[in-house]
Amino acid sequence: MEKHICIHGHFYQPPRENPWLNDVELQESASPYHDWNERITDECYARNSASRILDGQGKIVDIINNYARISFNFGPTLLEWMQKKQPETYQAILDADKESIERFSGHGSALAQVYNHIIMPLANERDKHTQVIWGIHDFRKRFGRDPEGMWLAETAADTPTLEVLAEHGIKFTILSPYQALRYRKIGEKEWRNAEGANINPRLPYLCKLPSGNEIVLFFYDGPVSQGIAFEHLLERGEDFANRLVNALDGDSKEPQLMHIATDGETYGHHHRFGEMALSYALDHIEEEGLAHVTIYGEFLAKFPPKYEAQIIEETSWSCAHGIERWRSDCGCNTGGNGTWDQKWREPLREAFDWLRDQLSPLYEREMKKLGAEPWVARNNYIQVMMDRSTANVESFILRHTQRPLEMDEKIRFLKLLEMQYHTLLMYTSCGWFFDEVTGIETVQDIYYAARAIQLAEEWKGENFEQKFLQLLERAKSNHSEHGNAANIYRESVKPAIIDLLRVGAHYAVSSLFAEHTRHLQLYSYQATSQQYELMAAGRQKLAVGRAKIRSMVTWEEEVITFGVLHLGDHQLFGGVREFVGMEDYSQLSKELRIAFERGNVSEVIMLFDKHFESHNYSFWHLFKDDQKKILDQVLAHAMDNVENNLQQLYENNYPLMAAIKTLGMKLPRPLRTTVEYIVNSKLLHEFKSETPDPAEISRLLEEARRMKVKLNYKALDFAVTQRVGQLMKQVQEHPDDIARMQRIIELLQVLEPSKLRLDYWQAQNIAFQMQENMYKKYKKHTEQGDKEAAAWNETFEVLYTNLNLKA
């Protein structure tokens, strides 16, 4: 068959980690999920690893891993997060690549990506190489093979960028058709103009570079790629398939590749059920023999380029003005804010470029003092970033220095490399893509710059921050209350900067709300308790102690002394300082204990001021997730009291409320609020319960219908989805327990007629797996006359059907 189709998904999220904690903190805007990575994983990345194909009646007939059938790339920083937080989805992606190698003649679906999605034409030569080296190493470590292709952030390209790709063994990349300058058949002399997407996207093109190296370019089909977003192609999988197939030249006898490239989040996050349209389209194309589904590596191996092409320099797929979106107010934006401008983009980049150019000679000079080749060490630092075990880091230091280093030198070595790491992270492209300098993506890049500055100033003594802020002042916000990026740095970034004392303060405060342990991991830090005293008097608590705080990234450590007073709720006062000796510590402990035993809170706080001076901390110095954890604990008691009072009000006035509803009258607002709160909270309680009661849920849903209660669908949908998934996990772990299956069946049957937005994705996956193995085993026993097996089969079939799976 000469007709070939390839769908590429660019799956990417910007790095969201707190630069000091190496972890993603709570993001309220992603609620009910912890953060946006978690939310988009549930809505898209996980869904594509187990996507449904439905029959004409809407029943699930198959579940497939889309990644094994398409071309895809994942951002390395996203995969790093996923490996730690969503290991099942992460493993499904790796497995899909292995499956695709069998499917596509030894070529894998996965492509590499430049490490943290920087705009390569705007990077200097050194940074270009590091981005590609890190991207290749990350890919090789995860997928167990060398990448054939590499995705460029925003497909931003110029000849020096293509040279770097080719130098490091990358065979091909994917570009927009609008990035093509000219083309010709290999061997011919005359070039043909390709500007304005005037190039056949069905062919691969060889790009001969000035160095003598070569790289293949695939220019995706622009209209169909855009049609996914604007022509509603993902509403019906068959329409999607037909659009792909109809774009092929039916009269051509030459091999042709119909290929599209879009953000991977299109399939499930931007378009709900988009992953199912993708699955159906691929299945339909193959089942009907409409074309051969392939990937770039396989097509390139079978059909080497017959044409060559050159590109328009400094272009991308998401800016009509080349790459200006990432350095000027070119007019490209996300829309919806007509009076805004993006003049802040240029001074922001200039500030970052200044910082990079200030830190580079410092880094080079200090690394040479340690007997290291600076840029070789940086290029290889990805080996440490992916494995921070002590043995691996020690080995890395030994390989990259000409002499054994003392511990303080090792710490300096690691700090210098971390400084460079964050200098690269601050160029993540999303910082310029959106409309406002105070946006979450831009501020994240400024966080990375702040971390680089902190590391540089720790031993240099220069005030890089002051000059950096002067440059940021030129990046004006569209929000008058913020003024400029320098104000955002002072208001949001500066207070978030963490040192070992701040980590020690977090450790001290959090110790009051958790069982004390000798060793505690706090994100990328390790706390080791050396002495701990806890005193309590009613609701009040006082903790005094000393502990060693160690960074698992830079290996720096500090022994700290702390004292923290909890007055109840979130009222916390504390202090932390460097440990100076047992005599001072004993005196501190004695004075605080005496004051606390007297019940003299004011004296305790005065002693904090005396012993800790300016290093005083409160609830607001806790890291974000722990702030919420403590608030939840504090609120739980208060909400219990509120709920009990409302419950009593509800029960006392229920006959009256029922009568008012029967007469068709409106409930007074206080009573309406009461009944809505009680019904919603009781439903939520049932859905969060380990053993939800179907009868009680049925009664509450009927109550909601009769009293016309406005249900909190967002919270209830999320809770019931999680609960049904967890109940199915229990069935999978205890498959012989028919009673467990029966309880889920009863729950599903009660929920079916409700208006809840039921999403049984995880439960369906488990049931589908059980049908493939357990069910077939029991069926064989049933055929042999086993009555218990027959009962199991009958119950499972009912469960399977209730989960909308076709038996």
Side-chain angles (χ1 to χ4, degrees):
M1 183 181 291
E2 302 305 327
K3 296 179 179 178
H4 303 262
I5 288 176
C6 174
I7 297 172
H8 182 82
H10 166 50
F11 296 90
Y12 163 75
Q13 292 298 305
R16 304 181 190 277
E17 283 75 9
N18 177 308
W20 293 270
L21 304 180
N22 276 6
D23 210 343
V24 180
E25 292 189 284
L26 179 70
Q27 295 177 312
E28 290 89 346
S29 59
S31 177
Y33 298 88
H34 177 269
D35 55 71
W36 279 102
N37 282 1
E38 185 179 284
R39 178 170 179 169
I40 297 172
T41 296
D42 184 50
E43 295 175 350
C44 174
Y45 307 140
R47 306 279 163 151
N48 277 284
S49 72
S51 182
R52 286 86 172 95
I53 294 179
L54 307 181
D55 65 9
Q57 286 71 49
K59 289 283 186 180
I60 299 169
V61 295
D62 201 3
I63 296 179
I64 65 171
N65 190 332
N66 281 343
Y67 300 115
R69 300 186 176 198
I70 66 171
S71 170
F72 69 87
N73 74 276
F74 268 88
T77 57
L78 175 58
L79 286 180
E80 179 185 5
W81 172 88
M82 198 180 291
Q83 183 180 13
K84 291 186 285 189
K85 303 293 186 178
Q86 300 285 335
E88 289 184 9
T89 300
Y90 174 76
Q91 190 58 50
I93 292 165
L94 303 189
D95 292 344
D97 185 66
K98 290 182 173 62
E99 182 184 334
S100 70
I101 290 172
E102 299 294 321
R103 179 185 294 272
F104 297 122
S105 314
H107 300 272
S109 289
L111 309 187
Q113 179 199 287
V114 292
Y115 185 75
N116 64 280
H117 213 262
I118 73 170
I119 301 303
M120 290 287 276
L122 293 176
N124 62 28
E125 184 74 10
R126 270 198 304 253
D127 290 356
K128 282 186 174 72
H129 281 279
T130 301
Q131 285 284 316
V132 173
I133 290 168
W134 285 5
I136 290 172
H137 181 89
D138 185 276
F139 183 93
R140 190 182 291 134
K141 189 83 170 175
R142 298 185 192 282
F143 292 95
R145 62 180 180 86
D146 289 332
E148 294 186 86
M150 177 169 271
W151 181 267
L152 295 170
E154 306 293 342
T155 75
D158 61 359
T159 297
T161 296
L162 298 181
E163 288 276 20
V164 172
L165 294 184
E167 182 179 335
H168 291 285
I170 299 299
K171 296 178 182 177
F172 66 86
T173 193
I174 306 161
L175 300 178
S176 161
Y178 290 93
Q179 292 179 264
L181 174 64
R182 56 184 185 173
Y183 70 96
R184 66 185 176 188
K185 198 164 189 176
I186 294 173
E188 291 183 353
K189 290 185 178 180
E190 295 297 320
W191 289 95
R192 302 177 193 178
N193 180 41
E195 294 180 79
N198 188 28
I199 192 168
N200 182 1
R202 309 285 172 265
L203 306 172
Y205 294 85
L206 187 68
C207 182
K208 297 178 179 178
L209 300 166
S211 65
N213 287 329
E214 299 175 339
I215 191 169
V216 173
L217 306 176
F218 287 96
F219 297 101
Y220 63 79
D221 187 295
V224 180
S225 298
Q226 292 172 343
I228 291 175
F230 303 111
E231 295 177 23
H232 309 291
L233 292 181
L234 297 183
E235 290 184 3
R236 287 185 74 247
E238 192 170 349
D239 292 345
F240 184 23
N242 291 337
R243 185 75 167 86
L244 294 170
V245 172
N246 292 339
L248 290 161
D249 184 352
D251 298 324
S252 175
K253 303 299 181 185
E254 294 292 314
Q256 52 181 318
L257 177 67
M258 165 61 207
H259 63 110
I260 60 172
T262 64
D263 286 334
E265 293 74 23
T266 301
Y267 305 108
H269 174 58
H270 299 313
H271 296 273
R272 192 166 188 243
F273 304 127
E275 80 284 357
M276 293 167 61
L278 173 60
S279 301
Y280 189 92
L282 293 168
D283 189 69
H284 181 71
I285 290 167
E286 290 188 319
E287 287 293 317
E288 298 298 322
L290 302 176
H292 175 69
V293 175
T294 188
I295 56 172
Y296 295 108
E298 181 186 55
F299 187 85
L300 184 58
K302 290 181 177 179
F303 309 107
K306 294 181 179 179
Y307 288 79
E308 60 179 309
Q310 294 179 344
I311 64 166
I312 303 172
E313 299 294 335
E314 297 190 339
T315 51
S316 67
W317 76 342
S318 50
C319 178
H321 315 92
I323 54 172
E324 294 306 308
R325 186 170 194 153
W326 297 275
R327 65 179 173 189
S328 73
D329 183 19
C330 67
C332 289
N333 54 59
T334 54
N337 300 293
T339 61
W340 288 9
D341 63 54
Q342 286 74 50
K343 293 177 182 177
W344 53 269
R345 287 174 177 161
E346 183 177 2
L348 181 71
R349 182 164 291 277
E350 288 175 350
F352 284 2
D353 286 348
W354 173 86
L355 182 59
R356 175 199 62 198
D357 294 343
Q358 291 296 307
L359 300 189
S360 290
L362 182 155
Y363 168 77
E364 198 165 37
R365 181 174 63 252
E366 295 297 325
M367 285 295 272
K368 285 180 178 177
K369 288 179 183 178
L370 299 172
E373 176 52 50
W375 305 110
V376 171
R378 188 183 80 164
N379 285 343
N380 292 338
Y381 189 52
I382 182 69
Q383 298 167 19
V384 170
M385 289 153 52
M386 296 190 75
D387 177 7
R388 295 192 182 274
S389 66
T390 301
N392 182 60
V393 178
E394 287 280 14
S395 175
F396 181 87
I397 295 172
L398 195 62
R399 293 196 310 272
H400 288 83
T401 51
Q402 296 172 358
R403 60 178 174 80
L405 301 185
E406 299 296 328
M407 179 52 74
D408 65 320
E409 292 178 313
K410 292 176 182 177
I411 291 170
R412 205 181 323 153
F413 178 87
L414 293 171
K415 282 185 175 180
L416 286 163
L417 285 165
E418 276 295 295
M419 180 185 75
Q420 280 297 307
Y421 171 57
H422 287 91
T423 303
L424 284 165
L425 286 182
M426 73 184 182
Y427 283 110
T428 301
S429 68
C430 298
W432 288 266
F433 186 86
F434 297 97
D435 296 1
E436 168 56 21
V437 72
T438 62
I440 187 173
E441 297 84 5
T442 310
V443 174
Q444 183 72 28
D445 283 358
I446 298 174
Y447 274 120
Y448 293 130
R451 177 58 173 152
I453 289 171
Q454 181 193 33
L455 288 163
E457 291 183 342
E458 281 188 15
W459 68 82
K460 181 61 179 176
E462 290 187 19
N463 194 342
F464 293 110
E465 185 182 69
Q466 184 177 353
K467 175 62 175 176
F468 184 64
L469 285 172
Q470 290 174 3
L471 293 170
L472 286 184
E473 285 176 356
R474 296 173 50 231
K476 306 295 183 184
S477 169
N478 290 289
H479 297 296
S480 57
E481 65 271 24
H482 292 309
N484 55 57
N487 290 338
I488 289 297
Y489 184 98
R490 296 185 188 99
E491 294 165 7
S492 301
V493 178
K494 183 92 170 175
I497 294 175
I498 292 168
D499 58 16
L500 292 178
L501 286 181
R502 173 79 179 272
V503 177
H506 176 92
Y507 167 72
V509 172
S510 61
S511 73
L512 292 171
F513 297 88
E515 186 178 346
H516 179 69
T517 57
R518 176 163 169 72
H519 298 286
L520 180 66
Q521 184 169 332
L522 297 168
Y523 301 94
S524 58
Y525 297 88
Q526 180 81 32
T528 303
S529 177
Q530 296 182 342
Q531 195 163 350
Y532 187 78
E533 304 169 65
L534 179 63
M535 292 156 270
R539 294 181 66 195
Q540 298 177 4
K541 293 180 182 178
L542 173 70
V544 182
R546 55 192 179 91
K548 182 171 73 175
I549 308 296
R550 184 177 192 268
S551 168
M552 294 183 288
V553 174
T554 64
W555 290 7
E556 60 184 326
E557 59 183 44
E558 187 80 66
V559 176
I560 56 120
T561 298
F562 63 85
V564 59
L565 174 67
H566 183 213
L567 299 179
D569 296 337
H570 70 292
Q571 299 299 312
L572 296 160
F573 301 91
V576 178
R577 72 179 188 196
E578 297 175 11
F579 176 73
V580 293
M582 280 305 300
E583 185 177 343
D584 285 299
Y585 172 77
S586 298
Q587 184 65 28
L588 163 69
S589 175
K590 179 181 177 181
E591 291 179 9
L592 286 173
R593 183 171 59 255
I594 292 171
F596 184 76
E597 288 173 351
R598 287 176 183 161
N600 195 333
V601 171
S602 298
E603 185 179 355
V604 172
I605 295 172
M606 288 172 59
L607 287 170
F608 283 162
D609 291 335
K610 170 188 170 183
H611 288 282
F612 299 112
E613 297 177 345
S614 62
H615 296 295
N616 288 320
Y617 295 91
S618 69
F619 169 82
W620 305 108
H621 291 92
L622 281 169
F623 305 143
K624 207 167 194 177
D625 284 72
D626 289 86
Q627 284 181 348
K628 183 178 187 303
K629 193 183 300 180
I630 290 171
L631 280 179
D632 285 347
Q633 289 181 29
V634 170
L635 278 172
H637 178 69
M639 293 309 295
D640 282 344
N641 291 333
V642 170
E643 191 165 327
N644 288 335
N645 291 333
L646 288 175
Q647 178 68 32
Q648 189 173 359
L649 183 65
Y650 173 79
E651 291 172 355
N652 291 342
N653 292 278
Y654 183 79
L656 175 61
M657 292 189 290
I660 291 171
K661 278 296 179 183
T662 301
L663 292 171
M665 296 169 60
K666 269 189 166 184
L667 281 176
R669 187 171 180 180
L671 292 180
R672 187 171 73 249
T673 301
T674 299
V675 71
E676 285 183 355
Y677 179 86
I678 291 298
V679 172
N680 274 290
S681 63
K682 284 191 170 185
L683 274 172
L684 199 57
H685 174 77
E686 285 297 329
F687 292 155
K688 289 183 176 181
S689 169
E690 292 289 330
T691 54
D693 182 351
E696 177 65 5
I697 292 169
S698 179
R699 187 191 71 76
L700 289 166
L701 289 172
E702 174 57 25
E703 181 81 344
R705 184 197 65 77
R706 185 170 61 253
M707 302 295 284
K708 295 182 180 178
V709 170
K710 184 178 180 182
L711 293 178
N712 181 359
Y713 285 110
K714 182 179 179 181
L716 295 173
D717 291 344
F718 186 77
V720 76
T721 295
Q722 298 292 311
R723 177 53 54 205
V724 173
Q726 287 159 4
L727 290 172
M728 274 303 297
K729 276 188 177 180
Q730 292 173 12
V731 168
Q732 188 179 36
E733 292 165 0
H734 307 279
D736 296 328
D737 191 342
I738 295 180
R740 288 180 188 270
M741 282 197 282
Q742 191 60 49
R743 284 196 292 272
I744 299 179
I745 292 168
E746 291 173 10
L747 177 61
L748 296 177
Q749 290 173 345
V750 164
L751 293 171
E752 176 59 31
S754 75
K755 293 182 179 179
L756 292 167
R757 191 176 178 180
L758 305 171
D759 184 356
Y760 299 141
W761 181 81
Q762 186 182 42
Q764 290 165 343
N765 290 346
I766 295 170
F768 191 80
Q769 292 169 12
M770 292 180 68
Q771 197 268 349
E772 290 293 303
N773 43 62
M774 294 294 300
Y775 177 76
K776 290 178 180 177
K777 184 185 83 171
Y778 277 98
K779 194 165 188 178
K780 188 177 291 185
H781 290 307
T782 300
E783 291 167 354
Q784 295 169 358
D786 187 329
K787 291 183 179 180
E788 288 185 4
W792 190 95
N793 263 12
E794 185 178 340
T795 306
F796 182 79
E797 286 168 2
V798 174
L799 175 60
Y800 202 73
T801 302
N802 274 272
L803 285 170
N804 200 40
L805 290 153
K806 186 171 182 178

